[in-house]
């Protein structure tokens, strides 16, 4: 298998290892960082064990072979989608275009979370910003655009959290920030990749414009528990 055929599993064994919860067969990312989970082989026993990794009222996002496996008893599929996995193999040209961006840190966490909740670039939890380096643009103190890193495994890093406030779209901010993020990845010897909903043609066109090419289409599913939380007395 190619490493990107199972990006969640490989990230949980490498770049996310310190945040992994589970065992050698079934593992998830710490819930405050994200909802992602994976199994070693999608075997029935491994899929059944996923139920123990879903927090009360929470969910698990699966990708690739795990998303294709039969749903185990006690769990339900909340939604499914087909994702376009894209990779930037070629070097990103120098992009010193004068954009006034800066690295984001803990002081920006609340604004990052709010922007992600507004624009929905993908699951973004309270500590997602800690998964990698994020950069952003502020205007009059307001965070209006950002881009950063999420999954990481040897040789590969995922561009993620790319979003622009609706009031400031049309200025090319997303693409310009992405190029900065991609350059940093390539300088570290990593190949940038990302995921987009396969049906979002405009988003995919943007990613092609900054150098990404389609590698594969991977199924995605979101699992929730069928067990109702205990009633309050």
């Amino acid at each position: 298998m190619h490493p990107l055929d199972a990006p969640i599993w490989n990230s949980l064994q490498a770049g996310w290892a310190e945040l992994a919860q589970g065992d050698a067969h079934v593992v998830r990312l710490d819930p405050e960082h994200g909802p992602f989970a994976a199994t070693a082989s999608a075997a029935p026993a491994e899929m059944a064990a996923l139920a123990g990794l879903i927090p009360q009222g929470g969910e698990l996002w699966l990708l690739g072979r795990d998303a294709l496996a039969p749903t185990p008893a006690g769990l339900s599929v909340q939604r499914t989608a087909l994702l376009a996995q894209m990779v930037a193999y070629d070097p990103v040209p120098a992009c010193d275009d004068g954009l006034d961006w800066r690295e984001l840190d803990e002081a920006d966490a609340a604004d990052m979370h709010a922007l992600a909740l507004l624009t929905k670039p993908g699951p973004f939890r309270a500590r997602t910003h800690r998964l990698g380096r994020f950069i952003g643009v502020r205007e009059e103190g307001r965070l209006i655009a950002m881009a950063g890193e999420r999954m990481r495994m040897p040789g590969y890093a995922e561009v993620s959290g790319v979003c622009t406030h609706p009031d400031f779209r049309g200025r090319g901010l997303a693409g310009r920030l992405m190029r900065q993020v991609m350059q940093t990845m390539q300088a570290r010897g990593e190949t940038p990749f990302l995921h987009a909903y396969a049906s979002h043609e405009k988003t995919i066109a943007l990613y092609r414009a900054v150098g990404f090419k389609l590698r594969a289409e991977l199924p995605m599913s979101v699992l929730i528990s069928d067990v109702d939380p205990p009633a309050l007395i």
Side-chain angles (χ1 to χ4, degrees), residues 63-64 82-86 198-199 204 214-220:
L63 189 60
L82 187 64
L83 300 187
Q85 185 183 79
M86 307 181 74
S199 60
I204 291 176
L214 179 66
R215 178 192 167 269
E217 291 188 337
L218 300 178
M220 180 273 288

Side-chain angles (χ1 to χ4, degrees), residues 129-140:
H129 65 282
R130 298 183 182 180
L131 292 177
R133 173 178 174 265
F134 277 80
I135 63 175
V137 175
R138 286 187 177 274
E139 191 162 294
E140 296 182 356

Side-chain angles (χ1 to χ4, degrees), residues 87-112:
V87 181
Y89 295 103
D90 299 327
V92 178
C95 53
D96 185 11
D97 60 1
L99 182 64
D100 185 18
W101 62 268
R102 68 176 184 84
E103 291 198 26
L104 303 176
D105 55 28
E106 287 298 320
D108 303 293
D111 289 344
M112 296 169 71

